[in-house]
Amino acid sequence: MSNAKYKFFVGYLPCSLLGLTLLFILLASFANTMLAVMIFWPLFLYLSGPFLFVQLTIFLLPIRDKGNKNKFFVNASIATCLNAIVGVPLLIAILVGVSKLPWIAGYLKQPRIIVVDKVGNVYIDDLGPQYQESRWDAIYKVSNRGYVSKFAEQVRVKDSLGGMVVDQSGNLFISDWNDHAVKRITPSGEVSIFAGTSGVVGFKDGLREKALFSAPGAMAIDGNKNLYLIDRGNHVIRKVDAKGYVTTLIFKKDGLKTNQLDAYDISADIDGNLTVISDDGQRIDSIDKNGTLKNLAASTERWRFLSIVRDDLGDHFAIDQGNKIIKISHSGAISEYINTVAINTDWIHCLALDKQGNLYTLGRYNHTLYKITPQKEVTKLMR
């Protein structure tokens, strides 16, 4: 075998095959986990990049032996220099880039609210490090493929994001209790005031641009694009319908009609039936479309129930005492769904639910986003 052919088969070809194999593994794994990017992408670049460059250079630029005109040999010093010049800087760049991935760097500092859209993208409100005197909320997006990015960086909410919800079109709504307004962020990142008047506190129904709120909090949206929000300062639940008109909900409580309710969290199904946590986390109540309030669970312990979601079948999931998730079936039966031991964390404090029945929750102390499948398989999505 000639020297050139020998170098091709033992140098260029193996590196090419190895690089292509790693690329295949990367593409096959990318739909399931970003781990493939962390492991295989640097290897692929390093092996099929610098090494192939070196092998190709050696193959094309053999050095003639002066003592034998028909003999060629590889100059080891040239190969080493090329590898050092091209390979080492690229490898360092790759390692630096990988170190900035959320899986490695750990973006979340104090996550508080999570929502998930119809295709499985998760949005997280993160307040930032506790030791900072002036903290601005940041919103991160975890795509359904596991890629993490900062969403709508121009949103300026200073430690005052009270609620967050996403509609079927991918518009994200956030309530700013300090600004007394609801803001809309389009999928392209454009931000505008959706309801209320920026900086003006009050209580007024009507067109959403002229309505007034007082410290709006948690929000929910139904299948008809009606948005519901807890108006904490006024102790009522407000509704912004699909036509842009704001009303205050009136419901029947203890046989009497009232609009007063000290609600903390809210969820809605596709038909507009609501579920709320109220009275300092001591009650879980459902409110049907006719305004009839029905108690689902109650406790004498303050802040026992921390977060609530409901599916379109009428089943509810709630965080109970921070150490477990309970399920309240449509028949009213209450059972433990999963606890923090199975999730492998100490304390959870927020819930979201996607269309496939997957639950998402946040570890309060380890600042980790978890996904829980209907089969109760737990995976970490972000920390």
Side-chain angles (χ1 to χ4, degrees):
M1 182 183 293
S2 68
N3 189 43
K5 289 182 178 179
Y6 174 79
K7 284 180 290 183
F8 178 83
F9 284 106
V10 301
Y12 187 86
L13 186 59
C15 286
S16 299
L17 293 176
L18 180 58
L20 292 174
T21 301
L22 293 175
L23 179 60
F24 174 80
I25 296 174
L26 168 66
L27 295 175
S29 304
F30 185 73
N32 298 321
T33 175
M34 281 293 290
L35 190 61
V37 177
M38 295 169 53
I39 296 176
F40 297 113
W41 186 241
L43 289 174
F44 169 71
L45 286 179
Y46 188 63
L47 291 175
S48 65
F51 280 14
L52 276 182
F53 181 81
V54 170
Q55 295 296 331
L56 184 60
T57 303
I58 294 171
F59 175 70
L60 295 176
L61 299 175
I63 298 178
R64 185 184 298 275
D65 187 346
K66 294 181 180 179
N68 188 340
K69 295 183 179 181
N70 296 321
K71 183 179 179 181
F72 295 86
F73 70 98
V74 176
N75 190 315
S77 61
I78 292 179
T80 302
C81 289
L82 286 173
N83 186 51
I85 293 171
V86 179
V88 174
L90 180 58
L91 181 59
I92 293 174
I94 292 169
L95 293 176
V96 171
V98 169
S99 69
K100 294 183 179 299
L101 286 172
W103 292 81
I104 299 297
Y107 275 170
L108 298 178
K109 305 303 180 184
Q110 194 179 353
R112 300 189 300 176
I113 306 172
I114 49 175
V115 295
V116 58
D117 65 19
K118 65 177 182 179
V119 296
N121 300 314
V122 183
Y123 301 85
I124 310 167
D125 167 51
D126 187 25
L127 183 54
Q130 295 184 2
Y131 53 81
Q132 289 185 358
E133 293 184 3
S134 179
R135 296 183 291 179
W136 295 87
D137 290 77
I139 300 174
Y140 292 100
K141 176 182 178 181
V142 184
S143 75
N144 52 18
R145 291 183 175 271
Y147 180 73
V148 180
S149 60
K150 208 168 185 179
F151 186 73
E153 295 190 42
Q154 66 270 37
V155 177
R156 302 293 286 172
V157 180
K158 187 176 181 179
D159 191 9
S160 60
L161 197 152
M164 191 163 63
V165 71
V166 60
D167 67 13
Q168 294 296 309
S169 301
N171 297 299
L172 188 69
F173 300 87
I174 61 174
S175 59
D176 187 341
W177 61 262
N178 192 44
D179 199 37
H180 310 293
V182 177
K183 300 173 182 178
R184 176 172 56 191
I185 309 171
T186 66
S188 61
E190 297 179 5
V191 184
S192 61
I193 299 295
F194 176 74
T197 303
S198 179
V200 180
V201 61
F203 179 71
K204 180 182 178 182
D205 287 339
L207 295 176
R208 58 182 174 86
E209 297 88 350
K210 298 181 179 181
L212 296 179
F213 305 92
S214 177
M219 296 185 293
I221 195 165
D222 65 19
N224 295 315
K225 299 182 180 180
N226 298 309
L227 186 145
Y228 305 87
L229 67 93
I230 297 174
D231 192 339
R232 297 188 300 178
N234 292 312
H235 308 286
V236 295
I237 297 176
R238 313 289 289 277
K239 175 183 177 180
V240 186
D241 65 25
K243 296 181 179 180
Y245 200 83
V246 178
T247 56
T248 301
L249 294 188
I250 298 176
F251 47 89
K252 304 169 187 175
K253 182 179 181 181
D254 300 326
L256 301 175
K257 289 186 177 181
T258 181
N259 63 3
Q260 293 293 296
L261 186 67
D262 288 321
Y264 168 74
D265 196 17
I266 187 169
S267 181
D269 68 9
I270 193 171
D271 296 320
N273 298 300
L274 306 178
T275 306
V276 296
I277 295 178
S278 61
D279 295 347
D280 293 337
Q282 294 175 301
R283 291 174 57 96
I284 298 177
D285 298 312
S286 67
I287 305 174
D288 65 21
K289 293 184 293 184
N290 298 319
T292 302
L293 186 145
K294 178 183 177 182
N295 181 251
L296 300 178
S299 172
T300 57
E301 181 181 354
R302 296 181 73 241
W303 304 119
R304 175 168 178 174
F305 306 115
L306 302 178
S307 184
I308 186 79
V309 294
R310 65 181 294 164
D311 61 23
D312 294 332
L313 299 176
D315 295 330
H316 303 77
F317 299 89
I319 294 179
D320 184 0
Q321 297 179 320
N323 58 18
K324 60 180 174 289
I325 297 174
I326 60 172
K327 178 179 180 179
I328 307 174
S329 71
H330 57 275
S331 64
I334 300 176
S335 60
E336 181 177 309
Y337 185 73
I338 195 171
N339 56 43
T340 51
V341 175
I343 300 173
N344 194 26
T345 188
D346 294 328
W347 188 273
I348 52 177
H349 67 107
C350 188
L351 276 181
L353 179 70
D354 67 17
K355 295 299 182 182
Q356 288 71 44
N358 300 302
L359 284 172
Y360 301 81
T361 190
L362 290 169
R364 181 172 183 176
Y365 298 118
N366 62 0
H367 314 306
T368 301
L369 172 64
Y370 296 95
K371 178 181 179 180
I372 307 167
T373 68
Q375 294 75 33
K376 301 182 183 179
E377 297 175 354
V378 180
T379 54
K380 293 181 181 180
L381 296 184
M382 186 179 178
R383 65 174 179 86

